Amino acid sequence: MILSAALKKQTLRYWLVLLCSVPLLALAAIDVYEFDTPEQEARFRSLTQELRCPKCQNQSIADSDADISGDMRARTAQMIREGHTDREVVDFFRERYGDFVSYRPPFDATTLLLWLGPGIVLLAGGILVIRLLRRASAAADKEGAAADNEEDVNQ
């Protein structure tokens, strides 16, 4: 009985320590960057949303938990504090990881299809719909003319 009470008390302590440590784990995952001005912090937030994680494929470095994204966030914060422009920061990462790292790649020969592709698909779809509607209209006109001719013959 005494052993059981001691065991219960010890188990309760373990659970209490475990529950108290959970919030600390959440805090450990948050990166904290200090900036001189609110404008620098706003630029940091904007840039980390604009840059894509090379590992995660379709997540910004702000949203990604990958180690490379953490390194990119730290480098972005450092460059902003050093006074680099947004363009210089983006170009720095494009130089290292290619155009894929930016959600807004430059308009050049290698990204031509990326920029013009949606418009080409939309245009081709519109042309296809127009042609199908014209064929359906022409077929309906032929059926109507054939029905009129058949009525004339029957009278």
Side-chain angles (χ1 to χ4, degrees), residues 34-150:
E34 297 292 326
F35 295 100
D36 298 332
T37 65
E39 290 80 21
Q40 286 181 338
E41 185 176 350
R43 286 181 53 216
F44 173 77
R45 291 186 194 287
S46 172
L47 282 169
T48 57
Q49 288 295 328
E50 180 182 332
L51 295 170
R52 185 189 326 239
C53 174
K55 183 178 179 182
C56 301
Q57 301 294 317
N58 204 21
Q59 278 187 318
S60 68
I61 64 172
D63 299 331
S64 174
D65 291 333
D67 291 338
I68 193 166
S69 290
D71 294 342
M72 290 173 73
R73 285 189 299 267
R75 182 67 177 156
T76 301
Q78 177 188 357
M79 291 179 77
I80 287 173
R81 283 191 295 269
E82 291 173 354
H84 292 275
T85 65
D86 291 359
R87 180 79 337 211
E88 289 172 334
V89 173
V90 171
D91 289 344
F92 173 82
F93 288 113
R94 275 196 188 136
E95 205 172 284
R96 276 144 191 80
Y97 302 108
D99 288 334
F100 175 79
V101 78
S102 176
Y103 279 112
R104 291 184 277 158
F107 186 78
D108 59 19
T110 59
T111 60
L112 187 67
L113 186 60
L114 177 69
W115 282 101
L116 299 179
I120 292 170
V121 169
L122 186 64
L123 183 64
I127 290 171
L128 181 66
V129 167
I130 290 170
R131 289 184 69 192
L132 289 174
L133 289 174
R134 285 185 180 169
R135 282 186 188 168
S137 177
D141 287 345
K142 283 182 184 179
E143 286 179 17
D148 288 342
N149 285 341
E150 193 174 305

Side-chain angles (χ1 to χ4, degrees), residues 144-155:
D148 288 342
N149 285 341
E150 193 174 305
E151 276 182 21
D152 290 341
V153 171
N154 288 337
Q155 288 179 356

